């Protein structure tokens, strides 16, 4: 499985990492810390045997992308086992999703996750996953106590593999 993910400026990344660490400590669920999953927002998830083609297409598209500001505004939950911070879906995030989707969809024999298609994608920054119900309650209590709305800048885009999470290539975005 491949992911295209957004990475943040140092201040936002450190803040999100502190949420991940606090939730891990409070809930006892250490999946994110054990697997060294960095703070990120995934904008595409897919399977393909054409890694070089993916890199070529992403390289062409990402060269045209500038840094952008996003704001995390709420706490969310997926299927009672994932807790996340939800950014506001602004024009910048939407355009990134569409741009990357349009690029990777040009590749033959690619299987793109339906959860990351434009207008079906829920932007989120995972704080903890694979939570039992009791862990989820503790995680929510910890986030609710510490979370306030904040903004950050998207500074990098990465192509990664999962299990274990590993960046294949990271592109630094221009600050125009």
């Amino acid at each position: 499985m491949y992911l295209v993910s957004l990475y943040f400026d140092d201040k936002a990344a450190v803040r999100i990492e502190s949420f991940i660490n606090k939730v891990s400590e409070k809930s006892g669920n250490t999946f994110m810390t054990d697997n060294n999953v960095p703070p990120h927002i995934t904008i595409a998830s897919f399977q393909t045997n054409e890694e070089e083609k993916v890199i070529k297409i992403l390289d062409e598209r990402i060269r045209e992308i500038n840094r952008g500001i996003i704001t995390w505004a709420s706490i969310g939950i997926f299927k009672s086992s994932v807790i996340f911070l939800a950014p506001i879906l602004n024009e910048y995030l939407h355009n990134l999703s569409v741009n990357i989707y349009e690029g990777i969809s040009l590749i033959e024999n690619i299987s793109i996750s339906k959860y990351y298609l434009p207008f079906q994608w829920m932007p989120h920054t995972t704080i903890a996953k694979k939570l039992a119900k009791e862990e989820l309650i503790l995680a929510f209590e910890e986030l609710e106590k510490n979370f306030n709305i904040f903004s950050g800048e998207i500074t990098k885009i990465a192509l990664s593999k999962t299990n274990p999470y590993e960046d294949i290539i990271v592109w630094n975005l221009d600050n125009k």
Side-chain angles (χ1 to χ4, degrees):
M1 173 88 58
Y2 291 91
L3 306 174
V4 177
S5 299
L6 309 176
Y7 292 156
F8 320 118
D9 64 273
D10 290 343
K11 186 176 179 184
V14 165
R15 186 171 191 170
I16 294 165
E17 222 167 87
S18 76
F19 291 138
I20 291 169
N21 292 334
K22 285 177 184 177
V23 164
S24 175
E25 186 178 309
K26 181 76 172 187
S27 70
N29 179 299
T30 59
F31 180 88
M32 296 290 284
T33 53
D34 289 349
N35 290 285
N36 298 311
V37 180
H40 69 280
I41 295 173
T42 298
I43 61 171
S45 176
F46 56 92
Q47 295 196 32
T48 183
N49 293 324
E50 303 286 347
E51 185 176 299
E52 290 304 315
K53 285 183 183 177
V54 170
I55 291 170
K56 184 177 186 286
I57 287 171
L58 289 177
D59 191 60
E60 292 169 2
R61 290 190 174 255
I62 292 171
R63 285 177 199 245
E64 305 301 317
I65 298 172
N66 294 322
R67 293 179 177 199
I69 303 294
I70 61 168
T71 300
W72 288 270
S74 66
I75 300 166
I77 296 169
F78 288 137
K79 289 184 135 181
S80 302
S81 65
V82 175
I83 192 162
F84 59 89
L85 301 182
I88 295 168
L89 181 56
N90 60 15
E91 184 177 11
Y92 177 78
L93 276 177
H94 174 72
N95 289 342
L96 282 174
S97 169
V98 170
N99 187 346
I100 298 303
Y101 170 76
E102 287 175 348
I104 63 175
S105 66
L106 298 172
I107 298 168
E108 292 181 25
N109 300 321
I110 191 166
S111 175
I112 301 172
S113 169
K114 67 181 181 178
Y115 300 112
Y116 290 91
L117 299 175
F119 298 108
Q120 294 183 30
W121 166 63
M122 172 77 180
H124 64 281
T125 301
T126 300
I127 300 301
K129 64 190 298 184
K130 300 185 185 254
L131 294 161
K133 184 177 180 180
E134 299 76 23
E135 293 171 335
L136 178 68
I137 292 167
L138 292 170
F140 180 81
E141 288 172 350
E142 188 65 20
L143 273 182
E144 193 276 329
K145 182 171 55 175
N146 291 288
F147 176 78
N148 291 306
I149 294 173
F150 68 100
S151 295
E153 186 174 35
I154 305 299
T155 59
K156 299 175 185 176
I157 299 178
L159 175 65
S160 309
K161 282 187 176 179
T162 60
N163 301 320
Y165 189 96
E166 175 188 2
D167 287 336
I168 297 167
I169 186 169
V170 178
W171 291 270
N172 291 306
L173 301 179
D174 287 338
N175 192 10
K176 294 180 183 172

